Amino acid sequence: MVDRRTEARRLTWRRALGPTALAVLALTLTACSDDAPSPDGAAADLATAISDGDFEGIAFTQANLDAAAHRDAVLEPLAETDHTVTVAKVDVATEGENKGKQATATLAYTWNVTDTTPWTYETTVDLVLQDSPDGGAEQWAVAWEPDVLVPDLKDGDRLAVTRVRAERAQILGADGGPIVEPRPVYRIGVDKMNLDPARQDAVARQVGAAVGIDVEAYAQKVAGAGAKAFVEAIVVRTDDTAGIDVDAVRAIDGASVVDGELDLAPTRTFARAILGRVGDATAEAVEESEGQVVAGDTIGLSGLQRQYDVQLRGTPGITVSVVADGSAGEDTGEDLDGDGQPDPVEDVKDVFAVDPVAGVPLATTLRTDMQVVAESVLSGVPSASAIVAIEPSTGNVLAAASGPGGDGTSTATTGKFAPGSTFKVASALAMLRSGITPDTVVSCTPDITVDGRTFQNVPGFPATAIGEVPFRTAFANSCNTAMIAQRDAVSQQALHDAAADLGLGVEADLGAPGYFGSVPATAEGTEHAASLIGQGKVEASPLGMATLAASVAKGERVSPVLVRPEVTPAAAETPTPSALTADEAATLRSLMRSVVTDGSAKLLAGLPGEVGAKTGTAQYGDGNQAHAWMIAIQGDLAVAVFVETGDGGSVTAGPLLKAFLDAPNTGE
């Protein structure tokens, strides 16, 4: 039995060949002669033509056929997609009246629409052996049909390719819950549908001024929007409107305040410099992605959102459909294309689909409650500031807060500052290794001169600690001169090694950008003297000093961790093993406890537990400005507090650290 498709093709051939050609064909109803051309070459040429769009030299049975235009119109959505078209097989008619004169070529298509799953299919096309138009030898001509390109394609059909966006994954906190969640917001703007066009410009300017944005730019945005558009001016949290008087905006005749939800962190400032933000893909990002990102995609633009964008954004899906415009003969009742006419119904048939793969959540070690407290404590500090809290037993960074004075940078994790006397914890370790004990008597003089440079103690240094005192007393009160006096007993290399044993200057798999500090291994004279009190060329971040404190608390070097990515990164260069011993760590904890009980951090004495601390002040600039530091340990918690410009560790950093440890669910 001959199926309808075959019969339809025969009719097409008869019409294309015409009566004369059929008569000639009737006279040659014998087996194909030995010198007849093979259809294989014609099939291969057709496959190449469909692949690259150049049909020059391809013969067709139909007159005036523009196969190239048809091909381009149908396959336009796949124009930039890598693909191949090859000949799977060619079957020549071996019996009947068309023996040797007709053939069917099977074409194999592969479209690499995704990196992992290609769209593959086969079509068939009929070939007819006919006379050459110029009277030359016979040639195989293509009986072109729409379904040569895609199975079951009909006249007027086209392809549509839809990219299906994957669900972006969340960044998780220490408890495994998402840091960013849907939270209530106010969407403030102008609703043009319900506003007299004559008043739209004036209302737009009033709203722009009320919410503090560029009035002129917003007025132009409103003017250029559609007649029924809601033109958003700003989105604010319902519990933190960033100083915007929402009720005053509501009072503007024509303004619109709409309740909504938006994926947001717990607070407006929550770890902003670390987490980063997401937004529309930039042209640069699209170009650099090599097809992974397209215009309109939402991607990470900064921070962890950018660093782990591939993991978080997932893999988009794709749907390839055959669309017949207006085939239903009805309209949708909507005018989405703006031509003033109802849009036609489209008969859409999906022919290939790959489901999107949702992104993989990114696990961090941040405790949201602790981070919120830390940022609240820093909210009123005018200069750059930071609080970093580490859990010594695990190395988990529980909080890494940067104050508003840092202009959006992560002061907590990437700042580079002289640590001042907080570094004396490392100096003390080097001195313990040189033979000093907490009870060794050292000389704490008002000043000391090294190679012509005079070093002094901080202003207000207690007179009771001046003179020949136990090393414990000198450490507790942060005597600069006593530390510098040991410069001949403690080499710069020994100082460098002691700091490294406590994690300062040692790279770690933090999972995020971080600066771990720098302590020169060589220094002489005044530079070596300055190093002993955490100045000169010694640098640290708040993260680095929190790591140092955590190592003392744990009794071994701690490697801080802030992010635990789904894919483990390549291991960094293995650092030299720490030589810190349990006895050394115990002695350092005892010395830090003395700072609280008898020294410069007495304001922490009322906190529960065996709190140990070290204050720090480091002059910078012209020498009249100072960094203020304090580090502390309390149970399984190590904290570093930093203020770029302050009056000293005890006066400026101390109250901030106390407020942090005093907060519920923070200290013991």
Side-chain angles (χ1 to χ4, degrees):
M1 178 178 293
V2 179
D3 62 26
R4 294 182 179 178
R5 178 181 174 88
T6 301
E7 183 60 31
R9 281 188 169 144
R10 287 177 177 173
L11 290 174
T12 301
W13 297 335
R14 291 189 180 105
R15 294 190 188 108
L17 292 171
T20 303
L22 287 172
V24 171
L25 190 60
L27 295 175
T28 58
L29 296 180
T30 59
C32 184
S33 63
D34 293 339
D35 57 355
S38 168
D40 292 357
D45 290 344
L46 175 63
T48 300
I50 293 174
S51 180
D52 61 24
D54 183 2
F55 287 82
E56 184 71 26
I58 303 296
F60 296 97
T61 61
Q62 303 98 317
N64 302 317
L65 173 70
D66 192 343
H70 182 218
R71 178 256 189 206
D72 292 348
V74 170
L75 302 180
E76 188 276 333
L78 297 173
E80 302 301 321
T81 304
D82 290 337
H83 62 278
T84 60
V85 184
T86 60
V87 179
K89 63 178 180 177
V90 178
D91 296 319
V92 182
T94 58
E95 58 184 37
E97 62 182 13
N98 295 322
K99 179 180 179 181
K101 296 292 185 177
Q102 296 175 4
T104 300
T106 300
L107 304 181
Y109 288 75
T110 298
W111 297 93
N112 296 314
V113 291
T114 73
D115 288 339
T116 57
T117 308
W119 178 30
T120 61
Y121 59 85
E122 291 184 345
T123 67
T124 58
V125 58
D126 295 317
L127 306 174
V128 178
L129 186 64
Q130 61 183 25
D131 292 335
S132 174
D134 58 7
E138 292 180 310
Q139 63 180 3
W140 287 95
V142 177
W144 184 269
E145 297 287 349
D147 61 1
V148 171
L149 298 173
V150 179
D152 300 324
L153 200 72
K154 301 178 179 63
D155 283 330
D157 289 357
R158 58 184 173 85
L159 288 186
V161 178
T162 305
R163 197 168 185 269
V164 184
R165 184 177 299 181
E167 180 180 358
R168 189 174 183 85
Q170 297 277 21
I171 296 179
L172 309 179
D175 61 357
I179 291 175
V180 176
E181 295 182 286
R183 303 180 194 274
V185 296
Y186 296 128
R187 297 183 181 275
I188 301 174
V190 172
D191 186 355
K192 295 181 70 173
M193 178 181 287
N194 299 313
L195 185 61
D196 182 350
R199 298 185 58 246
Q200 288 173 0
D201 182 72
V203 172
R205 294 176 184 277
Q206 284 182 278
V207 170
V211 300
I213 63 174
D214 187 321
V215 172
E216 186 64 34
Y218 181 61
Q220 293 179 8
K221 182 179 178 182
V222 171
K228 300 179 180 180
F230 172 76
V231 187
E232 193 172 273
I234 197 171
V235 179
V236 296
R237 297 168 181 264
T238 58
D239 60 354
D240 180 4
T241 60
I244 294 172
D245 188 339
V246 176
D247 289 335
V249 176
R250 283 195 178 101
I252 299 173
D253 184 17
S256 182
V257 178
V258 180
D259 291 334
E261 276 192 340
L262 196 63
D263 286 344
L264 298 170
T267 67
R268 185 162 48 91
T269 60
F270 187 93
R272 182 186 297 167
I274 293 175
L275 298 182
R277 64 188 183 91
V278 297
D280 292 339
T282 62
E284 181 181 14
V286 171
E287 182 177 356
E288 291 177 351
S289 73
E290 298 182 348
Q292 299 301 308
V293 175
V294 301
D297 278 359
T298 298
I299 65 170
L301 299 176
S302 61
L304 297 181
Q305 292 282 7
R306 180 177 181 178
Q307 183 178 349
Y308 294 96
D309 185 57
V310 173
Q311 173 180 328
L312 290 167
R313 74 169 183 256
T315 305
I318 195 166
T319 299
V320 182
S321 307
V322 173
V323 179
D325 286 332
S327 60
E330 302 175 353
D331 63 65
T332 64
E334 296 183 281
D335 178 23
L336 300 180
D337 57 11
D339 64 358
Q341 300 295 324
D343 298 330
V345 172
E346 292 185 333
D347 182 11
V348 179
K349 177 185 177 182
D350 294 342
V351 293
F352 179 75
V354 175
D355 292 334
V357 178
V360 176
L362 181 68
T364 76
T365 60
L366 293 176
R367 266 182 52 177
T368 54
D369 56 346
M370 197 174 284
Q371 180 76 18
V372 169
V373 168
E375 291 182 358
S376 176
V377 168
L378 298 175
S379 61
V381 180
S383 68
S385 59
I387 294 177
V388 176
I390 293 177
E391 185 177 54
S393 61
T394 62
N396 289 346
V397 177
L398 305 180
S402 299
D407 295 328
T409 61
S410 183
T411 306
T413 57
T414 61
K416 296 182 180 182
F417 308 97
S421 293
T422 56
F423 182 74
K424 289 175 182 174
V425 175
S427 299
L429 176 58
M431 291 174 188
L432 292 176
R433 291 172 174 175
S434 73
I436 288 180
T437 72
D439 297 326
T440 299
V441 175
V442 296
S443 181
C444 180
T445 56
D447 56 56
I448 187 171
T449 300
V450 179
D451 293 346
R453 177 181 172 183
T454 300
F455 294 86
Q456 297 176 325
N457 295 314
V458 296
F461 187 85
T464 56
I466 294 292
E468 301 300 306
V469 298
F471 180 68
R472 181 183 298 277
T473 299
F475 183 87
N477 291 278
S478 201
C479 181
N480 288 338
T481 59
M483 306 299 282
I484 293 173
Q486 302 301 316
R487 64 190 182 280
D488 292 334
V490 177
S491 69
Q492 185 70 24
Q493 182 67 56
L495 194 61
H496 169 276
D497 293 346
D501 286 343
L502 294 171
L504 191 64
V506 178
E507 294 292 316
D509 289 330
L510 185 69
Y515 177 66
F516 301 96
S518 175
V519 181
T522 58
E524 297 179 355
T526 57
E527 185 180 321
H528 176 47
S531 295
L532 287 161
I533 58 173
Q535 298 194 53
K537 294 184 178 180
V538 175
E539 287 185 325
S541 65
L543 169 69
M545 294 314 298
T547 300
L548 178 146
S551 298
V552 172
K554 187 178 182 181
E556 60 184 76
R557 183 165 63 203
V558 169
S559 294
V561 177
L562 191 142
V563 176
R564 300 188 186 280
E566 181 71 13
V567 179
T568 303
E573 183 178 346
T574 303
T576 302
S578 174
L580 180 67
T581 68
D583 287 344
E584 289 172 338
T587 301
L588 293 176
R589 288 194 295 271
S590 173
L591 289 171
M592 291 178 69
R593 178 61 180 165
S594 295
V595 178
V596 175
T597 58
D598 301 304
S600 56
K602 289 181 181 178
L603 81 166
L604 304 182
L607 294 173
E610 292 287 321
V611 179
K614 186 67 193 77
T615 55
T617 304
Q619 282 72 33
Y620 75 97
D622 59 5
N624 294 318
Q625 296 174 300
H627 301 321
W629 290 86
M630 185 176 281
I631 59 175
I633 54 178
Q634 182 189 45
D636 197 20
L637 186 66
V639 183
V641 174
F642 166 78
V643 177
E644 183 178 29
T645 304
D647 294 325
S650 299
V651 177
T652 303
L656 299 176
L657 193 147
K658 184 176 186 297
F660 177 74
L661 292 180
D662 256 345
N665 302 319
T666 299
E668 288 191 348

